[in-house]
Amino acid sequence: MTQSQDGAPEAVRRAAAAADAGRTEEARELLGGALAQDRDYEPAWLWLAALVDDDGERRYCLERAVRANPESTARTQLHDLRRVEPQPPEEAAPFADPPLPPDPVGRRLPWRPWRSRWVMALLAAAVTATAVLGLLRLLDAGEKPVHIAVVTSTSPSGATGGQEVLQGVRFHVDRINENGGVDGHPIELLVYDDHDDPGRARTVARDIVDDGRPAVVIGHTSSDTSIAAGEVYRSAGLPAITPTATAEKITAGNPWYFRTAFSNHAQGTFIAAYLRHALDKSKATVIRADTDYGRSLADGFTTAFDKAGEVHRTLTLDDRSADPAEVARAVRAVRSDGAAGAVVLALNEKPAKAVLRGLRTAGVRAPVVSGDILNSDRFADVLARMSRQERPRVPLTDGFYAASPLMTDSLSGAALEWAQSFRSEHGRLPSWRAMAAQTAADVAVRALARSGMDASRPDARERDAVRAALAAMDSPAHGVQGIHGTVYFDATRSLRQPVTIAVAEDNAMVSAPLQLQPYDGDPGVDPKAEVAAGRAVDFDGQVLMRQQIVSTGINVNEVNALETRARTYQADFFLWFRYSGSDDVTEVEFANSVDPDLDKGKPVRSSDENGMKYRLYRVTGTFKVTLDFHDFPFDRQHLTLAMRNRSLPDSRVIYTIDRRLLELDLKTSLRSGSDTNVWAERLPGWTATHMTQYKNTVGSTAVLGETDIGQSAPGIYYDQYTADMTIERDVAPFLVKNLLPLLLLVLVTYIPLYLPRSSGYTGVRVASGTTAILSTAVLLTTVTSSLPDVGYGVAIEWGYYAFILLAALCVLLALVSGRLAEGNNVVGWRNLTLAARIAYPLYCVVVVLIYVWKYC
């Protein structure tokens, strides 16, 4: 030290003695002398701060002490003086910083650079976020919508299913809009009501054309209204799609009209085949309405049935009035004619209801078969309620059949998921009309996308491009993949799809126990041999395979013993079948059973009534399960029970979902079948959240070793019935148990960031980070020890890896800060430590937020 610096401590000691003796002025003078010798002598500033009376002077002295030694105890005293302006005392005036020029506006608060930077950063972030959100809103608002007109009917009878059609379209379009609409353009529906009146339908069609915004129309819902409106759409060049109208005249000669259902000719022909070969009836009486729908359906049936049987008589009614005299005359004609045979109805709901009641109360028990218009749960429910009101009770629903393009009990995959979502929103399963409307909306949106149309008011050229896109969907190769399979139009611009026959059961329509399905060209099947064996029929030059429909259900009693390493679980459940015909349909195997020879055993309950058989089995076994641990411990797993016939392919038997199961609420479906007071799921650490049952098709390889079958052979396919229970891990207890040690490590690793500036603490900081890395690795091994060797990272691992990275950065920080401390780089050490103290918790918060965003 220099001589002057050696004098400063002595001067401070003398000043301290003077202060203790009460000679304050002398002490301050001595301190001024000490500071004149060494301006950065901390004890002199601390003593002077203790002796001055003014808070501003005291703050000045303390700040100079901190400047001399950043670790000075003066730092804590400054906190209480943060609102006071510093002023140099008289003793320090000679070597104080020169004053700044006065502010012409007025006195300003002192500038605190670190506060200003944070404020500016926050302001910049807020402005940027506001600008981005505004830009996104501007861009979103700039995407003009494309318009689709939807025309339905709210007729009092509800026969056309207008409300169901509108719900089906809206439900599907809402989901399309959630996923970006048509090439980024939202879809806007323009809804109209034609009141099921042809005159009103023409007026509505002209209003749509005059509006100019719609590029395509979905509607109308009845044949008469569709035909009336179709003339307007054809003249204006506006494409239209009807989901439910089936008369031939709608699309005949009108290239602008399409339909997502079969035509009356197609369903009439199939009804004829079903009546002759499934119900074994050779004679029939047709009761039809004097409308386009009634005439075309009756003509289609008569033309086909006359080739294999006899249409004994055709009776005509007024479709709208259901005149009691006309109905009574038709009922008398059928009842008095011993050769009347089965009855085919080509009527709307109102006259059909009156005719059915009249026939059954008159004692006519012959099967009654109708077209698609009477295939609805609403109509079946009306008949059931009418039956209960009759005295004596008359079973109006017995022997009542109806054609349908789709049945909810035969849905699978995406179609079943859509139906269940529809039920969640509307409180009931979708009718075939709602599902056909969904298909119409899907086809319309695909056509809009394929046409390249990009206008909110399409011109004639753009509307013609939409029509051309629809017309191009003329084969499986050019069709669209929908939730019901590949959708494409035939030569009549009707949807190419099989006809399903439904039968009334209680107050609902379900798939009839015997169906006829067109032969699909399987080279492994000899059509002639199938016909000769009675497993198929030849009707009007077409081979139709006899297909048993088995109403199936699984009710889980208990699932337990989930072994994640072995990927197995145990299940106890009831399995039942309702069917007619051969008992071979009950010879099933469980595809995912650990024991390939697991047998369902003998039925615990059985019955045979009116040709319908019921068999109930109780099955217990261990089953294999596919587990996905990517989201562990936030994972959801699916415990499945897969069942299929041992020998019969899907052309011979289909296992449909028991309609009662589809209508169960979620809580009931998760209750034990053997004790409804308890849950079926008995897995510690898991909770069952969903239960669904569905059917799908599984197949073998094509050739199967046969050298005389070509490479294009489709193989053998089986109908598989699956019950699927979704379970979720109880995350909260798991996280508390397994993440608490990690949380403690996070805190322990953070504490060394507050150790004083000294190279002696470098080893402590390095050891803390290293210990954290090793401890985290041990904890991670413990947490994932229950998992099998999955070969991929799971969700919780990334959190542990994130902390290992953080601990490694803390080790690096310790080494760097130690070097700064050794070099007496106070400013660098302080800035690095401050940044670490802020960044550490921010890093942890970001990791937690990422997990919350992804899994909560």
Side-chain angles (χ1 to χ4, degrees):
M1 289 184 180
T2 63
Q3 186 175 359
S4 61
Q5 289 174 327
D6 289 338
E10 179 60 28
V12 171
R13 281 192 289 271
R14 291 169 56 196
D20 291 341
R23 301 191 301 277
T24 302
E25 293 299 328
E26 179 184 347
R28 291 180 60 170
E29 183 178 349
L30 290 170
L31 291 172
L35 290 173
Q37 298 179 63
D38 185 355
R39 298 182 182 183
D40 291 327
Y41 190 53
E42 177 193 8
W45 288 112
L46 292 175
W47 269 103
L48 186 59
L51 295 177
V52 296
D53 297 322
D54 183 74
D55 285 343
E57 294 179 348
R58 182 174 294 106
R59 174 174 176 173
Y60 180 87
C61 295
L62 293 174
E63 286 181 346
R64 291 302 296 262
V66 171
R67 185 190 300 181
N69 178 16
E71 301 296 328
S72 174
T73 57
R75 184 179 295 276
T76 57
Q77 301 177 50
L78 278 172
H79 179 75
D80 297 331
L81 301 172
R82 62 187 182 279
R83 300 185 184 279
V84 180
E85 283 290 330
Q87 295 291 335
E90 180 181 353
E91 293 78 7
F95 39 85
D97 294 331
L100 295 174
D103 184 356
V105 178
R107 181 176 176 274
R108 294 183 299 175
L109 292 175
W111 180 55
R112 297 176 173 86
W114 67 273
R115 291 188 181 180
S116 297
R117 285 198 296 270
W118 278 108
V119 170
M120 293 303 294
L122 290 174
L123 288 175
V127 171
T128 302
T130 304
V132 170
L133 290 174
L135 181 61
L136 289 175
R137 287 180 176 270
L138 187 63
L139 291 174
D140 183 61
E143 294 292 356
K144 296 180 179 179
V146 294
H147 296 88
I148 297 177
V150 182
V151 189
T152 64
S153 168
T154 55
S155 62
S157 68
T160 60
Q163 189 67 21
E164 299 166 9
V165 167
L166 182 57
Q167 288 175 345
V169 172
R170 275 184 170 157
F171 186 74
H172 193 58
V173 166
D174 286 346
R175 275 140 191 79
I176 293 175
N177 281 336
E178 289 172 2
N179 290 288
V182 181
D183 295 332
H185 296 271
I187 302 169
E188 184 176 324
L189 299 179
L190 307 176
V191 181
Y192 299 83
D193 189 343
D194 64 14
H195 302 299
D196 196 24
D197 177 74
R200 171 67 178 166
R202 276 188 289 268
T203 301
V204 167
R206 284 192 288 268
D207 290 343
I208 293 172
V209 171
D210 292 342
D211 183 288
R213 290 178 295 170
V216 64
V217 178
I218 297 177
H220 300 231
T221 53
S222 71
S223 292
D224 289 348
T225 56
S226 297
I227 292 169
E231 300 170 1
V232 179
Y233 298 140
R234 179 180 58 188
S235 299
L238 179 61
I241 308 168
T242 174
T244 56
T246 52
E248 260 69 28
K249 193 175 177 180
I250 298 171
T251 58
N254 187 351
W256 292 87
Y257 230 133
F258 301 79
R259 72 170 130 242
T260 52
F262 42 55
S263 67
N264 276 346
H265 175 78
Q267 71 168 325
T269 300
F270 190 85
I271 290 172
Y274 195 85
L275 197 62
R276 182 68 188 90
H277 293 288
L279 300 181
D280 197 25
K281 299 298 178 181
S282 59
K283 292 186 178 182
T285 295
V286 177
I287 304 178
R288 69 170 176 83
D290 191 19
T291 61
D292 283 296
Y293 171 81
R295 288 189 293 270
S296 59
L297 178 56
D299 291 346
F301 170 81
T302 301
T303 301
F305 194 74
D306 275 341
K307 298 176 182 179
E310 176 191 348
V311 176
H312 185 66
R313 177 182 296 183
T314 299
L315 304 170
T316 303
L317 299 180
D318 185 332
D319 192 51
R320 295 185 179 275
S321 66
D323 181 63
E326 286 189 358
V327 171
R329 186 166 54 252
V331 169
R332 284 195 303 271
V334 175
R335 183 185 60 183
S336 62
D337 188 350
V343 178
V344 176
L345 300 182
L347 299 171
N348 208 329
E349 282 192 9
K350 187 175 181 181
K353 183 170 55 178
V355 168
L356 262 171
R357 181 177 181 275
L359 290 173
R360 295 310 188 217
T361 55
V364 177
R365 296 293 179 260
V368 176
V369 187
S370 79
D372 60 292
I373 201 168
L374 301 184
N375 187 359
S376 72
D377 289 344
R378 181 188 62 254
F379 185 67
D381 183 60
V382 168
L383 294 180
R385 285 189 281 109
M386 288 172 59
S387 297
R388 291 190 292 269
Q389 294 168 0
E390 292 290 333
R391 293 294 182 272
R393 184 172 177 177
V394 178
L396 300 184
T397 57
D398 284 4
F400 174 65
Y401 300 82
S404 177
L406 294 164
M407 292 297 295
T408 52
D409 59 8
S410 298
L411 298 179
S412 62
L416 181 59
E417 291 179 8
W418 187 89
Q420 290 173 332
S421 298
F422 183 96
R423 180 193 172 201
S424 297
E425 183 163 320
H426 294 287
R428 56 179 173 79
L429 290 166
S431 65
W432 75 263
R433 294 174 175 86
M435 292 187 284
Q438 179 275 330
T439 302
D442 202 22
V443 166
V445 170
R446 304 291 185 91
L448 290 171
R450 291 183 179 184
S451 70
M453 193 203 76
D454 186 19
S456 58
R457 301 187 72 85
D459 56 25
R461 179 186 59 81
E462 289 168 319
R463 291 195 299 269
D464 185 61
V466 175
R467 183 206 61 78
L470 288 168
M473 301 175 189
D474 58 358
S475 66
H478 299 113
V480 299
Q481 190 63 35
I483 63 172
H484 301 289
T486 304
V487 177
Y488 64 99
F489 299 107
D490 62 15
T492 68
R493 290 180 299 286
S494 303
L495 203 64
R496 188 70 177 269
Q497 62 185 153
V499 180
T500 300
I501 298 296
V503 63
E505 185 177 284
D506 297 330
N507 60 344
M509 301 298 293
V510 299
S511 295
L514 178 61
Q515 299 289 336
L516 299 177
Q517 288 297 310
Y519 168 64
D520 60 5
D522 183 353
V525 175
D526 182 352
K528 292 183 179 179
E530 294 295 302
V531 172
R535 293 189 293 268
V537 300
D538 188 342
F539 186 83
D540 197 19
Q542 183 181 23
V543 175
L544 301 171
M545 307 293 292
R546 291 182 182 272
Q547 188 181 67
Q548 278 184 273
I549 304 299
V550 184
S551 179
T552 311
I554 291 176
N555 197 337
V556 178
N557 301 320
E558 182 178 346
V559 294
N560 55 41
L562 175 61
E563 298 290 343
T564 55
R565 284 189 169 275
R567 300 175 190 261
T568 61
Y569 74 99
Q570 294 178 6
D572 171 18
F573 58 94
F574 285 121
L575 167 67
W576 68 87
F577 306 105
R578 297 176 65 251
Y579 61 99
S580 67
S582 171
D583 292 331
D584 290 344
V585 297
T586 65
E587 296 302 317
V588 297
E589 61 184 5
F590 299 95
N592 64 324
S593 172
V594 172
D595 178 6
D597 297 321
L598 177 65
D599 185 35
K600 66 185 184 306
K602 294 181 178 181
V604 297
R605 187 182 302 169
S606 63
S607 66
D608 296 76
E609 185 177 350
N610 298 326
M612 291 297 296
K613 302 177 182 180
Y614 170 73
R615 303 289 185 268
L616 174 67
Y617 303 87
R618 184 164 187 171
V619 184
T620 302
T622 302
F623 298 87
K624 293 176 285 188
V625 60
T626 301
L627 301 175
D628 184 353
F629 295 106
H630 280 93
D631 293 335
F632 174 83
F634 311 97
D635 49 327
R636 296 179 179 180
Q637 305 296 345
H638 294 269
L639 306 182
T640 59
L641 296 166
M643 176 214 73
R644 60 179 178 239
N645 197 275
R646 291 184 182 275
S647 58
L648 299 179
D650 64 347
S651 61
R652 298 279 304 282
V653 60
I654 292 291
Y655 296 94
T656 63
I657 308 168
D658 190 315
R659 178 63 182 259
R660 298 170 183 82
L661 290 176
L662 290 173
E663 295 173 348
L664 285 180
D665 60 76
L666 180 60
K667 284 188 176 181
T668 304
S669 67
L670 293 173
R671 294 286 184 181
S672 171
S674 58
D675 183 358
T676 56
N677 294 316
V678 299
W679 300 108
E681 172 267 312
R682 314 278 179 84
L683 301 172
W686 296 86
T687 300
T689 59
H690 193 66
M691 182 73 181
T692 186
Q693 302 189 33
Y694 56 89
K695 57 178 287 298
N696 60 313
T697 301
V698 295
S700 65
T701 55
V703 178
L704 296 176
E706 296 187 52
T707 57
D708 57 342
I709 296 181
Q711 292 297 319
S712 61
I716 300 175
Y717 293 91
Y718 297 89
D719 190 67
Q720 181 167 284
Y721 186 91
T722 303
D724 185 339
M725 176 183 285
T726 304
I727 59 173
E728 292 183 1
R729 197 181 300 272
D730 295 333
V731 178
F734 180 91
L735 293 182
V736 170
K737 176 183 177 181
N738 293 281
L739 293 190
L740 185 59
L742 181 63
L743 177 61
L744 294 176
L745 272 179
V746 171
L747 294 175
V748 168
T749 309
Y750 185 56
I751 291 173
L753 295 178
Y754 286 89
L755 293 175
R757 176 177 58 88
S758 172
S759 58
Y761 289 111
T762 301
V764 176
R765 290 173 173 169
V766 171
S768 173
T770 304
T771 302
I773 293 174
L774 297 176
S775 300
T776 304
V778 174
L779 287 175
L780 179 58
T781 302
T782 303
V783 170
T784 58
S785 60
S786 62
L787 300 181
D789 185 11
V790 295
Y792 51 78
V794 299
I796 199 169
E797 284 183 317
W798 300 111
Y800 280 83
Y801 294 152
F803 178 66
I804 289 174
L805 174 62
L806 181 61
L809 292 175
C810 287
V811 172
L812 179 62
L813 173 71
L815 296 173
V816 174
S817 62
R819 293 293 299 274
L820 293 174
E822 289 177 1
N824 203 26
N825 188 340
V826 177
V827 175
W829 182 91
R830 185 169 61 235
N831 290 339
L832 180 61
T833 303
L834 179 62
R837 291 172 182 173
I838 296 173
Y840 190 103
L842 285 179
Y843 179 93
C844 295
V845 169
V846 169
V847 172
V848 171
L849 289 178
I850 290 174
Y851 273 93
V852 171
W853 168 73
K854 186 169 179 60
Y855 298 108
C856 296

